[in-house]
Amino acid sequence: MSSEPTVFVIDDEDAVRDSIRMLLERRGYKTSVFASADEFLRRLSPSASGCIVSDVRLNGVSGLDLQRKLAESGSTLPIILITGHGDIDMAVLAIKRGAFDFIEKPFDDTRLYQSVAEALAERRQEQARCEAAAAMKMRIAELSDRQREVMMLLVDGLSNKEIAQKLGISHRTVETYRAFVMAKTDAQSLADLVKLAMRAGVTS
C-alpha cells in the first residue's frame, strides 16, 4: 500500500464497493478497494496514511472486528463505518471504540464526502502531532544528563532556587542550564516547556 493519503474502501458487495470508489474518485480522492477486512489487514502497511470506509457487516472479519483489530495493532487510521442494518446500540459501540463516524445506508453523497474530508484532516493533524513529538524527543535526547535533569525539575514546578538546592549546584548554573534547555526545545515560556514535554511523552 502506498504511503500517499488514501481512502481504503472495504465492502464485500462489488456494486457497493465500486459505487463508493467512484463517488470518492470524482472528488479527487485516491482510493484502494478491498472485498474483505482480512484482505485489507494482510496488505496494510505500517506507513499507510489516509482513512478507512468499511461496511459493518462483512463476510469473515466484520467492520466492528476490524476496528478492534486496528486498535489492538496501534493503527491510528480513522475508520468510518457504514451499514444498512445499523441500530443505535451498534452506532454507540462503534463510536465508543473510537470510530470516526457511523453512516447508515442509504446515505447522501455529501454526507460521505464530508465525513471523509474530516477524517483525513484529523489524520493529518495526528501525523503532525506525532512528528512534533518525535522531534521534541530527539531534542531532549540531545541534552546532557544534567540538562535533562534540570528540565524535568522545571517541568515538575520547581524554582531555580529549589533546583539549585536539590542538585547541589549554584543558582547561576541552574539559570545557564535553564536557558540552554529553553533554547534547545524552542520553548517560549515555562508553560510552553511543560506542554512540549507532555506532548513528547516525557512527563505526565
Side-chain angles (χ1 to χ4, degrees):
M1 293 181 184
S2 170
S3 60
E4 179 184 351
T6 301
V7 182
F8 302 103
V9 180
I10 308 170
D11 198 298
D12 52 17
E13 294 186 35
D14 294 345
V16 175
R17 189 169 64 248
D18 289 341
S19 175
I20 294 174
R21 175 184 59 78
M22 288 188 289
L23 283 175
L24 294 171
E25 289 182 351
R26 279 205 298 267
R27 284 296 182 97
Y29 292 113
K30 175 179 171 21
T31 65
S32 184
V33 298
F34 303 87
S36 71
D38 291 302
E39 180 189 1
F40 170 75
L41 290 169
R42 284 196 301 270
R43 297 178 55 192
L44 178 62
S45 165
S47 63
S49 178
C51 72
I52 301 165
V53 175
S54 175
D55 195 358
V56 167
R57 298 182 185 274
L58 298 167
N59 293 321
V61 176
S62 71
L64 289 177
D65 287 337
L66 169 63
Q67 181 186 10
R68 176 179 54 78
K69 288 176 179 290
L70 288 170
E72 291 173 350
S73 71
S75 172
T76 57
L77 289 175
I79 183 167
I80 299 166
L81 293 172
I82 297 176
T83 181
H85 311 282
D87 54 30
I88 298 300
D89 291 340
M90 187 179 291
V92 169
L93 177 59
I95 298 300
K96 282 184 175 179
R97 287 183 176 180
F100 183 82
D101 201 357
F102 190 99
I103 304 175
E104 288 189 82
K105 299 174 186 175
F107 54 83
D108 181 79
D109 295 354
T110 302
R111 174 81 167 82
L112 178 61
Y113 294 145
Q114 181 179 356
S115 186
V116 167
E118 292 174 355
L120 290 175
E122 180 178 276
R123 173 64 175 171
R124 286 193 294 271
Q125 292 171 358
E126 176 63 24
Q127 286 182 309
R129 287 191 291 267
C130 290
E131 290 170 1
M136 182 54 58
K137 285 181 180 179
M138 185 174 296
R139 291 181 182 182
I140 292 173
E142 292 172 349
L143 297 173
S144 69
D145 291 342
R146 181 47 62 91
Q147 289 165 350
R148 196 176 304 111
E149 192 173 16
V150 168
M151 185 199 79
M152 296 308 298
L153 292 173
L154 286 169
V155 169
D156 285 342
L158 275 67
S159 66
N160 288 1
K161 181 179 179 180
E162 290 170 329
I163 293 173
Q165 293 174 340
K166 185 175 183 66
L167 300 181
I169 57 179
S170 70
H171 187 275
R172 183 178 295 277
T173 300
V174 173
E175 289 180 339
T176 300
Y177 282 136
R178 175 172 179 156
F180 185 87
V181 167
M182 298 295 280
K184 185 67 176 179
T185 59
D186 201 26
Q188 303 304 307
S189 65
L190 180 56
D192 195 23
L193 180 65
V194 173
K195 291 177 184 177
L196 292 170
M198 291 178 66
R199 289 171 190 163
V202 297
T203 186
S204 57

